[in-house]
Amino acid sequence: MIHTIRWGSNCIYIIDQRRLPQKKEWLVCRSLQDVITAVREMAIRGAPAIGVAAAMGLALGSHSIKTEKYGTFRRRFLEMAQQMKLARPTAANLRWAVERMIRIVERMHDNNVKEIKEAIRKESQIILEKDIEINLKIGQNGLGLIPDGATILTHCNAGALATGGYGTALGVIRAAYEAGKNIHVIVDETRPLLQGVRLTAFELMEENIPVTVIVDSAAGYLMRKKMIDLVITGADRIALNGDMANKIGSYQLAVIAKENKIPFYVAAPISTFDPDLKNGDLIPIEEREPKEVISFAGHLIGPEGVDAFNPAFDITPAKYISAIITEKGVIKPPYRRSIRNLFDTEDYSGT
Ligand code: MRU
């Protein structure tokens, strides 16, 4: 299985996902700023993976704070945490990981700075390892939703590359394949940055899971032709009422799936939920550079200077989501109640 991020001795290694699948290159991050740039420019992407990167980035950054005084350390650390949070606005996991690191600093006010730095670094590794465990659980919990012989449509990349490892939506697909189910995966290309054709198709081929790539606009045709049995995606943020933000194009897939009576499932860890937001309209949607839209694989295809609009995510209202698969089990509508229950039983702080 691919691991997209890991610690070096005084640095972090990240697989540069902008180069995949043609080149597997490790990007070396030696400072918090390197990590922020890697997240912003999407050398590493996917909600849980950028959460892990944020935690590791802060651990790296904390080592550059040269003071023995707790107050000075805390102030500098909080500034860094704020910068890290702003790298990408939509995924809940990034903010969740940053807040988890802040809580360690707040809690250790009686410890010396060296001990705090060690604890922060240890915590970032725990976040990485726990994320893989969580994805394995999501995979097992989702198994029952995948019939033997199913053709599954997935969007973007919610695989090992988008997480600490194994994946969320792709984790469920992996688990079904590993359980011996005869499945076929349809992957849409996922314009503008092509995470589907570049990353998801690559991950599936590495594991010999049957895969066919389509253009984004072919999904409706396939659904109407009964060539898809279910749709499964990851999520970047899920509001209290079950509305979810995911890669642009998810909403239209969910609407077409409902129109064709095809279940639309979402697989996500609890760190992707944001119970403070009543509904999806409150989720901040990242807008990326217009040039991504008028280029294809880095080549300009539109007329120079043409206007373009590039929202990176959209909101799928809860009414289109058949179930959400988490590490705590599969939750179904009405989501407000089931998501509240999830947080009543979960130590959300993770600390
Ligand atoms: O812009 P990206 O590539 O970071 O968007 C990723 C997605 O939308 C994924 O589906 C989501 O983060 C879930 S990853 C397990």
Side-chain angles (χ1 to χ4, degrees), residues 223-258:
M223 287 199 235
R224 209 169 124 74
K225 280 276 188 189
K226 306 207 179 311
M227 293 166 75
I228 308 282
D229 298 302
L230 63 108
V231 183
I232 184 163
T233 71
D236 281 81
R237 202 189 288 221
I238 303 173
L240 183 62
N241 70 342
D243 292 354
M244 69 109 190
N246 192 50
K247 179 51 55 197
I248 191 80
S250 302
Y251 171 42
Q252 61 206 37
L253 291 179
V255 174
I256 303 170
K258 194 170 177 105

Side-chain angles (χ1 to χ4, degrees), residues 40 80 82 121 161 173 177 184 186 188 198 203-204 246 258 265 285 303 326 345 348-349:
R40 257 199 206 122
M80 287 181 169
Q82 191 54 25
R121 175 164 171 155
L161 289 164
I173 289 171
Y177 183 74
H184 190 117
I186 306 288
D188 62 19
R198 291 190 306 106
E203 280 197 41
L204 292 168
N246 192 50
K258 194 170 177 105
Y265 299 122
I285 297 295
T326 77
T345 53
Y348 177 58
S349 67

Side-chain angles (χ1 to χ4, degrees), residues 295-320:
S295 319
F296 187 85
H299 300 285
L300 186 71
I301 47 169
E304 192 99 48
V306 68
D307 186 36
F309 177 50
N310 188 14
F313 301 96
D314 60 23
I315 307 292
T316 300
K319 67 176 178 184
Y320 295 109

Side-chain angles (χ1 to χ4, degrees), residues 65-73 111-114 117:
I65 307 174
K66 306 284 178 226
T67 181
E68 311 267 291
K69 290 193 188 118
Y70 174 78
T72 314
F73 176 80
N111 293 71
N112 68 47
V113 167
K114 187 166 175 274
K117 288 179 181 173

Side-chain angles (χ1 to χ4, degrees), residues 104-121:
I104 293 189
V105 173
E106 302 287 14
R107 220 179 37 213
M108 293 184 73
H109 49 83
D110 288 334
N111 293 71
N112 68 47
V113 167
K114 187 166 175 274
E115 286 166 342
I116 302 174
K117 288 179 181 173
E118 276 162 17
I120 293 170
R121 175 164 171 155

Side-chain angles (χ1 to χ4, degrees), residues 42 45-48 88 156 158 162-163 168 195 235-236 246-247 313:
M42 294 176 64
R45 29 69 47 204
R88 291 191 77 190
C156 194
T163 60
T168 55
Q195 290 93 328
D236 281 81
N246 192 50
K247 179 51 55 197
F313 301 96

